[in-house]
Every structure is written in structure tokens, then in C-alpha cells.
Amino acid sequence: DAGVTQSPTHLIKTRGQQVTLRCSPKSGHDTVSWYQQALGQGPQFIFQYYEEEERQRGNFPDRFSGHQYPNYSSELNVNALLLGDSALYLCASSSGRGRLNTEAFFGQGTRLTVV
Amino acid sequence: GNSVTQMEGPVTLSEEAFLTINCTYTATGYPSLFWYVQYPGEGLQLLLKATKADDKGSNKGFEATYRKETTSFHLEKGSVQVSDSAVYFCALRTVDSSYKLIFGSGTRLLVRP
């Protein structure tokens, strides 16, 4: 079992550009959540996808959007990048929704640097 | 609202010393509680969890007990090793419809030989 895999591992972008990050969940998992971890901070919830729909969203602007595919893999898109978007982006997968949701497993993350 | 507060680091200990990392929480309802560990350059790994009051989570010599009366979930280990050096995050899983994780700011542990 490959666990949760994310790509790329590192990325450097310029302010104003757009970026797409990818996540493949752990085998058997159907729910994907994305978190942003700024340097020296704990992860912050961005949004969660289940059955190809965004189910829950944290306090992030509309520049952050996502997608989930029928095979449960997911993308995180960030438009009009700001310097403050520099962070480690973590994908977490789990199974089920709501009260049936199992514990989350995290990927290694994508380190995004905006210059 | 929901929040998690952890003791600030870094915590520096000698090998075989006793470890305590304090964690308190504020939550609506009765959330599940977790400790995650992050090694340098890596993602988060689940260390242990507790889903209801008085539950004790344990793994790899680490323990934490869900204390509803003090809203705490302190992490302990009787004898730390150099390989335990990492950042430790306390987290709760909300009981609203999102069931998202709310993390503390993390505590860096450095264990010296």
C-alpha cells in the first residue's frame, strides 16, 4: 500500500501565477482533505472532498479551489499566488463522511515557495 | 469555537529523560483527540488517538489520556530517545458536519545523546 502520495514534492512559483497540486489517497479511502501548514505553525484546514464534491471549507479565499476525480484522487488549485501562500500543503485521506469518517492519513506534502 | 493550545517549544531533553508535552483544547461537544508527529521534511504521522473521555491512547512508548474535566490531552513518554526528536502536534476532530482536524501550533522536541 503506497499510502497517500502527493506531487510534486517541491515547487517554486512567481507571484500572480497559478499552481496545481495533486494527491492520490490511500487505497480504500474516498475522502480527501487539504491543509496548509505555514512555517512553524500547525496545519490549517482548507477544504474537504467527498463523492467529487467540496463538502466543507475552511477560512480560505476563493483563489483556493479543488477537484476530486472518480478514482478519488484530488487536485488543489491556487490562483493569483501571493507571497503569503508559501507553505507546505498537506493532503489527508480518510474513509466515509461525517460521523462514519475514519482517521486521517497524511501525505508527505508539497512545499510551495512563491517568489 | 474549537481550538487547541500546546506548550511552546523547543523542549530539549537528554536521552532517557521523561517527556511531557501539554495540550489543552476548547471544543463544542466531545471531539476525538489526536497526537501527530512530524519528522524533518516529512508529512504528519498519527502517533496516538483517544475518542472519548478517560480513554488512553498509546503507541511506541508514548501515552496520552483524554481528560474531559480539565479539557486536556497531555503527551508523555517515560524514556525518550534521540530518534524521538521531531515536532509534535496535538489535534481535535470537530463533531460538526465537517469532522475536520484542528491543530495546535506544534512543539519541537530535541533529544540530546
Side-chain angles (χ1 to χ4, degrees):
Chain A
D1 182 5
V4 181
T5 58
Q6 293 186 241
S7 63
T9 54
H10 295 84
L11 204 52
I12 300 176
K13 288 287 189 178
T14 304
R15 275 180 299 174
Q17 285 189 314
Q18 179 265 345
V19 68
T20 297
L21 311 181
R22 296 179 173 81
C23 171
S24 292
K26 183 178 169 65
S27 178
H29 285 183
D30 56 9
T31 302
V32 173
S33 302
W34 287 91
Y35 291 79
Q36 180 195 65
Q37 185 181 13
L39 198 61
Q41 301 296 317
Q44 300 287 319
F45 176 77
I46 302 175
F47 43 53
Q48 181 181 87
Y49 276 83
Y50 175 76
E51 291 185 337
E52 302 179 50
E53 290 190 18
E54 182 183 298
R55 300 292 179 171
Q56 297 291 335
R57 189 177 184 91
N59 189 25
F60 280 81
D62 292 345
R63 297 186 298 108
F64 290 77
S65 63
H67 188 79
Q68 186 179 35
Y69 294 93
N71 68 352
Y72 309 122
S73 66
S74 177
E75 291 179 352
L76 164 65
N77 301 293
V78 186
N79 294 321
L81 284 166
L82 304 174
L83 295 179
D85 295 331
S86 296
L88 180 67
Y89 288 85
L90 294 164
C91 170
S93 77
S94 56
S95 179
R97 186 184 174 200
R99 193 168 291 278
L100 298 177
N101 191 260
T102 62
E103 64 194 44
F105 288 80
F106 284 81
Q108 301 285 77
T110 294
R111 172 73 63 189
L112 172 65
T113 302
V114 182
V115 296
Chain B
N2 299 296
S3 66
V4 175
T5 302
Q6 290 181 236
M7 62 186 288
E8 288 194 19
V11 173
T12 304
L13 296 173
S14 297
E15 203 165 25
E16 299 184 1
F18 184 84
L19 168 71
T20 299
I21 300 178
N22 290 336
C23 170
T24 58
Y25 67 91
T26 302
T28 303
Y30 302 101
S32 295
L33 300 174
F34 304 83
W35 277 100
Y36 281 86
V37 58
Q38 187 173 38
Y39 297 100
E42 298 187 10
L44 300 177
Q45 298 178 24
L46 178 64
L47 183 58
L48 53 83
K49 67 178 182 181
T51 58
K52 62 183 186 296
D54 300 325
D55 267 3
K56 177 185 283 189
S58 62
N59 185 28
K60 300 180 181 179
F62 290 90
E63 293 183 340
T65 301
Y66 190 141
R67 302 287 189 197
K68 185 164 69 78
E69 63 277 13
T70 55
T71 61
S72 65
F73 193 55
H74 304 321
L75 182 68
E76 297 181 336
K77 187 176 185 182
S79 177
V80 294
Q81 306 300 313
V82 172
S83 57
D84 294 327
S85 297
V87 181
Y88 293 81
F89 291 94
C90 183
L92 65 84
R93 189 167 71 179
T94 62
V95 295
D96 57 22
S97 56
S98 70
Y99 284 83
K100 63 180 179 282
L101 291 166
I102 304 291
F103 288 88
S105 56
T107 302
R108 181 174 298 279
L109 170 66
L110 178 60
V111 181
R112 300 191 184 279

